[in-house]
Amino acid sequence: QQQVKQSPQSLIVQKGGISIINCAYENTAFDYFPWYQQFPGKGPALLIAIRPDVSEKKEGRFTISFNKSAKQFSLHIMDSQPGDSATYFCAASGFGNEKLTFGTGTRLTIIP
Amino acid sequence: DAGVTQSPTHLIKTRGQHVTLRCSPISGHKSVSWYQQVLGQGPQFIFQYYEKEERGRGNFPDRFSARQFPNYSSELNVNALLLGDSALYLCASSPEPNTEAFFGQGTRLTVV
């Protein structure tokens, strides 16, 4: 019940395209859902986060879509650029379970 | 503004030795968490501290311990190092638990 399942494991998108990464959770006590971007040898960087009171949040080229009934959330990267090539992790936490539970990661490659 | 700082950045230790890793959170943040990230996997929760009290502990052996100081900095101690302890150790700081968490660059520990 503590798992966060992430897919796909790897993703190749052409420059200018839309990158979509999906996550699903089981613990209904989760109420905070961040996405992190990680480059090799670096710590994860917080990209964008959402709470269940909204179904979508957009910041620049990054959008989180959240489906509470399906217990799923996704990251959309619009106009994907080569600099977006990195590993992306979804995560979740909640009151009484305040640690971040991470997904397994998606290696995104943007090709010219 | 200074982000989360961790020291040292790299460390090589011999099996059986102990190690101390240090973390300074973002100014004003009172919660510090520690995560272990093995190559190719998502970060795994080790400890969370808030206002100098332990708030949570992950599924790690008693060889792992941590503490938070009055200035909210933290240290992670690992005794009797094993080869399997080789990983990137990440510190994250938050204003309080279950809010946005910002990671440091990590300490790369290699046990030989």
Side-chain angles (χ1 to χ4, degrees):
Chain A
Q1 198 179 19
Q2 298 301 315
Q3 282 187 324
V4 176
K5 296 180 180 179
Q6 183 172 347
S7 63
Q9 187 175 4
S10 62
L11 181 62
I12 299 174
V13 175
Q14 208 151 19
K15 179 182 174 183
I18 303 173
S19 304
I20 302 173
I21 305 170
N22 301 298
C23 283
Y25 64 97
E26 296 177 353
N27 188 343
T28 54
F30 285 152
D31 66 355
Y32 177 68
F33 304 90
W35 284 90
Y36 286 87
Q37 177 191 59
Q38 188 175 29
F39 294 104
K42 304 293 184 184
L46 179 62
L47 267 180
I48 186 171
I50 197 167
R51 294 198 182 264
D53 52 340
V54 295
S55 60
E56 187 174 280
K57 182 175 181 181
K58 182 176 180 180
E59 290 184 1
R61 296 186 294 111
F62 301 94
T63 300
I64 298 180
S65 296
F66 184 81
N67 186 329
K68 188 174 181 179
S69 60
K71 291 184 284 186
Q72 295 175 349
F73 58 110
S74 60
L75 176 70
H76 296 232
I77 305 174
M78 314 299 286
D79 187 26
S80 299
Q81 299 297 312
D84 296 330
S85 296
T87 300
Y88 292 80
F89 292 96
C90 63
S93 66
F95 180 76
N97 185 16
E98 294 149 348
K99 64 177 183 178
L100 285 170
T101 299
F102 282 84
T104 49
T106 297
R107 179 174 288 187
L108 174 65
T109 304
I110 307 300
I111 56 175
Chain B
D1 287 342
V4 180
T5 57
Q6 292 186 242
S7 62
T9 55
H10 296 85
L11 203 52
I12 300 175
K13 289 287 191 177
T14 304
R15 269 183 308 172
Q17 286 187 314
H18 73 271
V19 67
T20 298
L21 310 181
R22 294 179 174 84
C23 172
S24 293
I26 293 170
S27 177
H29 285 193
K30 299 179 179 179
S31 178
V32 170
S33 298
W34 289 93
Y35 292 80
Q36 181 196 64
Q37 187 176 26
V38 174
L39 198 62
Q41 297 183 18
Q44 296 294 313
F45 172 75
I46 310 175
F47 284 108
Q48 183 184 66
Y49 279 80
Y50 177 59
E51 290 280 20
K52 292 151 281 183
E53 297 288 325
E54 183 182 305
R55 287 281 289 234
R57 181 185 182 116
N59 189 23
F60 281 81
D62 291 344
R63 299 184 295 108
F64 289 75
S65 63
R67 54 181 174 166
Q68 187 176 35
F69 298 100
N71 66 353
Y72 302 109
S73 67
S74 177
E75 66 179 31
L76 174 71
N77 293 281
V78 187
N79 293 324
L81 285 166
L82 303 174
L83 296 179
D85 295 331
S86 297
L88 182 67
Y89 288 85
L90 296 162
C91 173
S93 86
S94 307
E96 53 189 53
N98 204 31
T99 60
E100 52 189 11
F102 298 91
F103 284 84
Q105 81 283 4
T107 294
R108 171 68 62 188
L109 173 64
T110 303
V111 183
V112 297

